[in-house]
Amino acid sequence: MNLIGRSGNPTLNKKTFERSEHYNGQETMTIGGTVNKSFMLLALLIGAAVVSWVMFFNGYEMYPYMIGGAIGALVLGLVISFKPTTAPFLAPIYAIGEGLFLGALSAAYESLYYGITLQAALLTMCVFLAMLVVYKTGLVKASAGFQKGLFAATAGIALVYLLSFVLGLFGVTVPYLHDSTPIGIGISVVIVIIAALNFVLDFNFIEEGARQGAPKYMEWYGSFGLLVTLVWLYVEILRLLSKLASRD
């Protein structure tokens, strides 16, 4: 591995840097720059989510916004993943699309379980900070074995969700995945843990990219990757809390 190896986050992997060639003499990636851009993307996402949230509680039909935001974010995410040079232009649009989706989704959960979105947001931030501390103190290291194992687990979850979506089109439900049974809750806990561990690999990816002088646009790509993991973690925590609330 000539740069940093593999990240469990599918948007952050060594091939990304292999595609980032011909940048000698140009301005390079820094951790500070990536942090600043991460805050920019998060602000755009939150802003769009607030708009979507307000529209939901004002009686607007939010299904088109929710689906449109999700599909748009997915398409943009794929483009950015395969063409990192587009990140400075497409990552902000991705954040807005994701925000429209998350705002409507969060409002829908909030209408069912009062206070659940604030709990999910606070837990997501706490987990993020905890994983940052874990990474910086070296309690969990992004070793080659750790990377491969987490990548396999993340890919496995993605395949299960894809299978669940396809089967759902035919009226078939994957057992336990969406249930509020002890097994269903246990599955959600495992997925939350795997999502959280992806931060370790994301931090490592960004730190090594900055150390080895990746091109400046990779700051946007790194912040985009962090946002992908953050959104995934938030949604999984939201689902877990909803399962717990439905048992009360």
Side-chain angles (χ1 to χ4, degrees):
M1 293 183 292
N2 59 350
L3 278 169
I4 67 165
R6 189 170 6 185
S7 167
N9 184 334
T11 69
L12 301 178
N13 55 68
K14 69 175 183 178
K15 291 184 179 179
T16 300
F17 284 109
E18 291 171 359
R19 293 194 295 264
S20 305
E21 62 234 353
H22 308 308
Y23 55 88
N24 289 334
Q26 298 181 13
E27 196 173 2
T28 58
M29 176 183 184
T30 65
I31 294 176
T34 306
V35 170
N36 291 337
K37 291 172 176 62
S38 296
F39 278 120
M40 292 179 196
L41 294 184
L42 185 60
L44 288 172
L45 183 144
I46 293 174
V50 168
V51 171
S52 186
W53 172 285
V54 171
M55 290 176 67
F56 180 95
F57 284 109
N58 281 336
Y60 286 88
E61 174 54 56
M62 295 307 298
Y63 190 74
Y65 292 91
M66 193 162 121
I67 298 301
I71 294 175
L74 175 62
V75 172
L76 289 173
L78 289 173
V79 173
I80 296 170
S81 297
F82 285 103
K83 193 70 173 176
T85 53
T86 64
F89 315 104
L90 296 185
I93 304 174
Y94 166 86
I96 293 172
E98 198 73 88
L100 290 174
F101 164 72
L102 283 184
L105 180 68
S106 299
Y109 273 104
E110 185 72 16
S111 67
L112 296 174
Y113 310 106
Y114 178 75
I116 192 173
T117 52
L118 178 59
Q119 296 174 35
L122 291 176
L123 283 172
T124 300
M125 288 298 102
C126 288
V127 171
F128 173 82
L129 292 175
M131 296 313 300
L132 181 59
V133 171
V134 164
Y135 173 73
K136 295 304 291 184
T137 56
L139 293 177
V140 177
K141 297 183 182 297
S143 64
F146 180 81
Q147 292 176 38
K148 291 178 181 178
L150 193 54
F151 180 83
T154 303
I157 292 171
L159 288 175
V160 170
Y161 277 140
L162 178 60
L163 178 63
S164 175
F165 174 77
V166 173
L167 291 177
L169 297 177
F170 300 96
V172 179
T173 303
V174 176
Y176 305 118
L177 185 61
H178 305 292
D179 295 348
S180 57
T181 61
I183 295 178
I185 290 172
I187 290 173
S188 284
V189 169
V190 171
I191 294 176
V192 166
I193 292 172
I194 291 173
L197 288 174
N198 269 271
F199 281 125
V200 173
L201 303 188
D202 297 343
F203 297 147
N204 182 67
F205 178 93
I206 293 169
E207 189 172 69
E208 286 297 303
R211 184 176 65 84
Q212 299 197 31
K216 192 69 174 177
Y217 66 78
M218 292 300 290
E219 291 178 351
W220 284 104
Y221 191 86
S223 60
F224 157 73
L226 275 178
L227 193 67
V228 169
T229 303
L230 193 67
V231 167
W232 179 29
L233 178 64
Y234 170 77
V235 171
E236 294 300 342
I237 289 177
L238 193 61
R239 293 182 68 248
L240 174 58
L241 291 178
S242 71
K243 289 182 179 182
L244 293 173
S246 68
R247 293 173 58 86
D248 295 340

